[in-house]
Amino acid sequence: METQKIFAVIAQKVAEAIEAVVNIDVTVMDSNMVRIAGTGIYKDRIGLKIEEQTAFGYALKTGRHYVVETARESEICAVCERRGRCSEKAEVCMPLKRGDVPIGVIGVIAFSDEQRDKIIRNKAQYINFIQKMAELLEAKLSEERMSKENQLLALRLKTILNTMQEALVVFNRTGDILYKNDPLRQLLAELAITDAGGFLADLWGQLKDKALNREVVENRKIRIRFHGQAYTLIASVYLMDTKGSEFIVKLHEFIRFEKKMIRYTQQNQVSVDFDSILTVSESLLDTKATATKAAESDSNVLIYGESGTGKELFARAIHNRSKRRDNAFIAINCGAIPDELLESELFGHEKGAFTGAINTRIGKFEGADEGTLFLDEISEMPYALQVKLLRVLQEKEICRVGSNETRKIDIRIIAATNADLRERIEENTFREDLYYRLNIIPIHIPPLRERYDDIVYLSQFYIGQYNLRFNKTVKKLSRNAEKLFTAYAWPGNVRELQNILEYAVNFETGNEIHEDLITRRLSGGRKEPRAHSGSVGIPHNHTGATLSTDMNLVEKDLIRKKIDAYSDLKHKEIVKNVCRDLNISRTTLYRRLRKHAITIPRS
């Protein structure tokens, strides 16, 4: 509709221009034979339809011009519907075209003998002139149409760019900003940058050499110091045209980019749901029901269970069933990271915060923002860090190492432990207030030795899995092997069960797993049976020495001597003095005590 209006406006101007030169009335019709412009008597006839059996209809249909020199005597006039009431003396009809397709007709019509004589006398010049004016109208209409299409294309492109999540800015070769989308404006606002032009000029200054040389710039980390502040961004540069005259730059704020990568990695991990937790045991089925209910909540969860019972499996299942399922699940083992590094791992750090901190880095808390953070072996977290964790739970904000700036976060904490936290509280190695913050929804995973039905059920399942992996045909445990399994205490729980079955399926040559393979595996691979009381256990007569065992013996002896040196003091004083002498934290000391089965006398 808009194009038709433009056509009519331009046609009217062309009609008036022709009439001013030839002093003869002019009219223009469109492809529907409707008059859209006119001069003289035709001004009042705009909008009316012209008959098809006319010179106008012929010119539109054939795409060729037609001249009526004497009205009512030409071939066209013979079939014209208006022949008996026509007042026209002569006319020139010139088709208008878009490419080769006629889209209308310009008509110059004589109503007097003088005007008819003028047309006949100047026919060639009139045809040439009207044709040039038709071409002018066609060109102007095409230009307007192209302009409208370009405007529509620009509007579509703008809409697309503004609905993208990435911040985008378009530069020309000299660094002029041709366009920036809404996400870029939002990014600059979040970075508190008010002088967008100056900041983007500095950005182009860092990128232009590579851009102009057409070097690939993909997710390049850049630092910009602007108005006394340092900004770290991730930038990518793409050519907008083959000439390399315009460039589109995609920007991410570094921290946000890291979070996006964490989330992407998380989404590409194998999905774990409660169906992944296999059991026929009533006790574990009850635990699954509790965990399923916990997934509907957003409260903190504390999972209790021995090593190898699947605490992280439960944590992932809870996350994947929760409203946070589309965001990151990040796991960290508090006992596997040295105390001095754990704070940085959890909270992140600023560049230069300590030796080796060459770049700003986000911690697990920020990475898990809007998702779930799983703190495994929470009992091993250093006492000083427990205070910071408590603050995170209370204030919902963190502060990176080396920074005074706090950042709001929205996370759910799922913690896990294989220790008795009540005992740790009595030992003053775990904060009681933190315990209550974490222990909102307690979930207890029973050990495998208490799930008699699961031992055989899981054994059969894993035998099938390892058969597929190793192309074996082992069917089941032998009766004696099954008895051995059900009598064993399984200190390593399901993880130990998997390892033993993988070993057995690898080496079994028959259809059933026999007890000799199991006995050999439980005795560390030796053929001779080992003594045990009540169940198969770890051999105590192994004499092979290694550097690791020697170091453990030295460590154990040193701790014993330190404790003996302060044996006349109270329990708390012994702990305090031993930690001071050995330059370790209380958490580390208690970890070593459990490792070496050493006890400190209580007074």
Side-chain angles (χ1 to χ4, degrees):
M1 195 62 167
E2 187 68 26
T3 302
Q4 195 66 18
K5 287 181 180 179
I6 294 171
F7 187 10
V9 170
I10 298 173
Q12 184 62 36
K13 291 181 179 180
V14 168
E16 291 171 357
I18 296 173
E19 193 269 345
V21 172
V22 300
N23 198 26
I24 301 175
D25 284 349
V26 180
T27 190
V28 182
M29 74 169 198
D30 62 14
S31 57
N32 295 317
M33 302 287 292
V34 174
R35 204 182 309 274
I36 61 173
T39 65
I41 66 171
Y42 293 115
K43 271 191 176 182
D44 297 330
R45 299 180 186 180
I46 293 174
L48 299 179
K49 194 161 185 176
I50 300 174
E51 295 81 357
E52 291 186 11
Q53 299 296 329
T54 59
F56 280 87
Y58 175 85
L60 181 67
K61 185 177 181 179
T62 64
R64 298 195 297 269
H65 70 269
Y66 192 83
V67 180
V68 177
E69 295 187 5
T70 304
R72 292 178 294 278
E73 295 181 9
S74 68
E75 295 178 7
I76 293 294
C77 292
V79 295
C80 181
E81 300 172 19
R82 297 175 57 251
R83 186 169 183 268
R85 48 190 172 84
C86 180
S87 59
E88 299 168 1
K89 298 286 186 178
E91 59 187 86
V92 178
C93 293
M94 182 66 63
L96 296 165
K97 297 180 181 180
R98 182 190 298 168
D100 294 329
V101 179
I103 59 171
V105 177
I106 298 176
V108 177
I109 299 98
F111 286 97
S112 66
D113 293 335
E114 181 184 352
Q115 289 178 337
R116 183 195 64 190
D117 292 342
K118 189 188 294 187
I119 288 175
I120 295 172
R121 189 169 58 251
N122 302 298
K123 183 172 72 171
Q125 293 92 326
Y126 277 16
I127 289 173
N128 183 59
F129 173 63
I130 298 169
Q131 184 176 2
K132 296 297 182 186
M133 294 303 288
E135 291 172 356
L136 176 64
L137 193 156
E138 293 164 3
K140 190 63 179 175
L141 187 60
S142 177
E143 181 184 322
E144 288 291 333
R145 188 181 299 111
M146 186 68 71
S147 175
K148 288 294 180 183
E149 288 177 358
N150 287 340
Q151 289 177 20
L152 182 59
L153 181 62
L155 180 61
R156 287 172 179 165
L157 181 60
K158 182 178 179 181
T159 303
I160 291 169
L161 294 178
N162 281 329
T163 54
M164 294 178 68
Q165 294 182 351
E166 287 84 358
L168 303 172
V169 56
V170 180
F171 294 100
N172 63 14
R173 294 181 63 87
T174 58
D176 296 324
I177 299 170
L178 305 181
Y179 177 76
K180 51 182 182 287
N181 69 350
D182 290 343
L184 177 74
R185 295 185 181 93
Q186 183 179 349
L187 174 61
L188 297 178
E190 290 174 358
L191 295 175
I193 296 170
T194 54
D195 181 10
F199 182 84
L200 294 175
D202 284 4
L203 170 71
W204 178 249
Q206 289 208 31
L207 298 173
K208 66 178 181 180
D209 289 342
K210 289 185 177 295
L212 296 177
N213 289 329
R214 302 194 180 194
E215 296 180 29
V216 175
V217 179
E218 185 74 29
N219 292 334
R220 179 187 173 192
K221 188 176 179 180
I222 60 174
R223 288 180 63 83
I224 297 176
R225 182 159 287 278
F226 187 70
H227 291 179
Q229 285 279 49
Y231 302 90
T232 305
L233 301 170
I234 302 295
S236 301
V237 181
Y238 308 96
L239 285 175
M240 288 282 284
D241 56 24
T242 56
K243 297 178 181 178
S245 58
E246 294 181 4
F247 307 87
I248 186 166
V249 177
K250 180 172 69 175
L251 291 177
H252 295 277
E253 199 250 333
F254 174 64
I255 301 302
R256 192 181 302 175
F257 182 77
E258 278 202 342
K259 288 182 181 179
K260 183 178 179 181
M261 290 299 101
I262 289 170
R263 185 170 299 177
Y264 175 80
T265 302
Q266 169 64 24
Q267 288 172 344
N268 283 276
Q269 292 180 356
V270 176
S271 179
V272 174
D273 202 350
F274 288 110
D275 292 339
S276 307
I277 302 172
L278 305 176
T279 184
V280 291
S281 163
E282 286 295 330
S283 59
L284 194 59
L285 286 171
D286 288 344
T287 300
K288 283 177 64 173
T290 302
T292 304
K293 194 68 177 175
E296 299 172 4
S297 167
D298 205 36
S299 298
N300 295 331
V301 174
L302 185 54
I303 302 175
Y304 299 88
E306 296 179 2
S307 294
T309 51
K311 295 187 289 298
E312 183 171 340
L313 196 65
F314 267 90
R316 286 186 180 275
I318 291 170
H319 169 79
N320 289 332
R321 188 69 69 89
S322 75
K323 66 181 182 180
R324 297 175 179 267
R325 68 179 68 90
D326 294 328
N327 297 306
F329 174 94
I330 296 181
I332 184 168
N333 189 316
C334 300
I337 299 174
D339 295 354
E340 60 273 15
L341 295 181
L342 185 57
E343 182 177 13
S344 174
E345 282 292 319
L346 287 172
F347 297 96
H349 61 256
E350 296 291 339
K351 180 180 179 182
F354 51 83
T355 303
I358 58 175
N359 287 307
T360 296
R361 182 182 176 189
I362 69 170
K364 304 301 185 187
F365 281 107
E366 284 186 83
D369 193 21
E370 298 183 347
T372 303
L373 180 63
F374 176 56
L375 299 174
D376 199 7
E377 293 191 35
I378 187 67
S379 59
E380 306 306 314
M381 177 176 282
Y383 199 81
L385 270 187
Q386 293 177 30
V387 180
K388 294 194 71 172
L389 174 57
L390 185 64
R391 179 175 175 80
V392 171
L393 297 177
Q394 291 172 338
E395 306 297 333
K396 301 295 184 184
E397 61 185 23
I398 62 102
C399 183
R400 293 185 203 139
V401 177
S403 172
N404 294 321
E405 180 184 353
T406 58
R407 290 172 169 80
K408 287 290 183 182
I409 57 167
D410 172 23
I411 61 170
R412 183 188 197 180
I413 297 289
I414 300 179
T417 181
N418 58 11
D420 185 343
L421 291 184
R422 283 291 189 180
E423 183 180 307
R424 299 297 175 86
I425 291 170
E426 291 179 8
E427 294 172 350
N428 288 322
T429 60
F430 200 83
R431 294 182 62 95
E432 188 172 15
D433 46 5
L434 177 59
Y435 169 76
Y436 288 119
R437 282 283 181 178
L438 295 173
N439 195 40
I440 305 297
I441 302 178
I443 294 177
H444 296 265
I445 304 177
L448 185 59
R449 63 181 171 274
E450 296 178 6
R451 293 149 43 201
Y452 177 87
D453 294 339
D454 277 351
I455 295 174
V456 178
Y457 169 71
L458 291 176
S459 296
Q460 197 61 42
F461 174 80
Y462 290 124
I463 287 172
Q465 293 290 302
Y466 296 132
N467 275 335
L468 291 173
R469 188 190 300 182
F470 307 129
N471 195 27
K472 303 279 282 192
T473 57
V474 179
K475 293 183 178 179
K476 60 180 180 178
L477 295 170
S478 69
R479 181 167 296 181
N480 287 336
E482 187 175 313
K483 289 180 180 178
L484 194 61
F485 266 38
T486 54
Y488 183 49
W490 296 108
N493 290 287
V494 178
R495 190 181 297 125
E496 184 180 10
L497 177 71
Q498 290 174 308
N499 291 345
I500 290 174
L501 287 171
E502 183 173 353
Y503 170 86
V505 172
N506 264 302
F507 287 96
E508 182 57 66
T509 56
N511 291 329
E512 294 183 344
I513 294 175
H514 291 86
E515 69 273 14
D516 59 335
L517 271 177
I518 305 301
T519 304
R520 185 188 307 174
R521 176 62 178 79
L522 292 173
S523 63
R526 298 180 297 113
K527 290 185 179 180
E528 67 273 12
R530 52 186 172 170
H532 59 87
S533 57
S535 65
V536 182
I538 304 298
H540 298 289
N541 57 350
H542 179 59
T543 58
T546 65
L547 178 60
S548 177
T549 56
D550 287 346
M551 292 295 291
N552 283 331
L553 289 172
V554 170
E555 182 180 74
K556 182 176 181 179
D557 186 55
L558 179 60
I559 293 173
R560 281 188 181 280
K561 287 180 179 179
K562 288 294 180 182
I563 292 173
D564 290 342
Y566 298 106
S567 59
D568 56 335
L569 300 177
K570 292 183 178 181
H571 181 90
K572 289 185 178 180
E573 292 299 315
I574 295 174
V575 172
K576 178 181 177 181
N577 285 289
V578 172
C579 288
R580 182 198 62 208
D581 291 353
L582 297 179
N583 193 27
I584 58 176
S585 67
R586 282 186 298 178
T587 304
T588 302
L589 174 61
Y590 278 108
R591 195 184 302 157
R592 299 291 189 271
L593 294 177
R594 286 188 293 276
K595 175 182 176 182
H596 300 302
I598 301 172
T599 57
I600 298 177
R602 292 185 176 274
S603 51

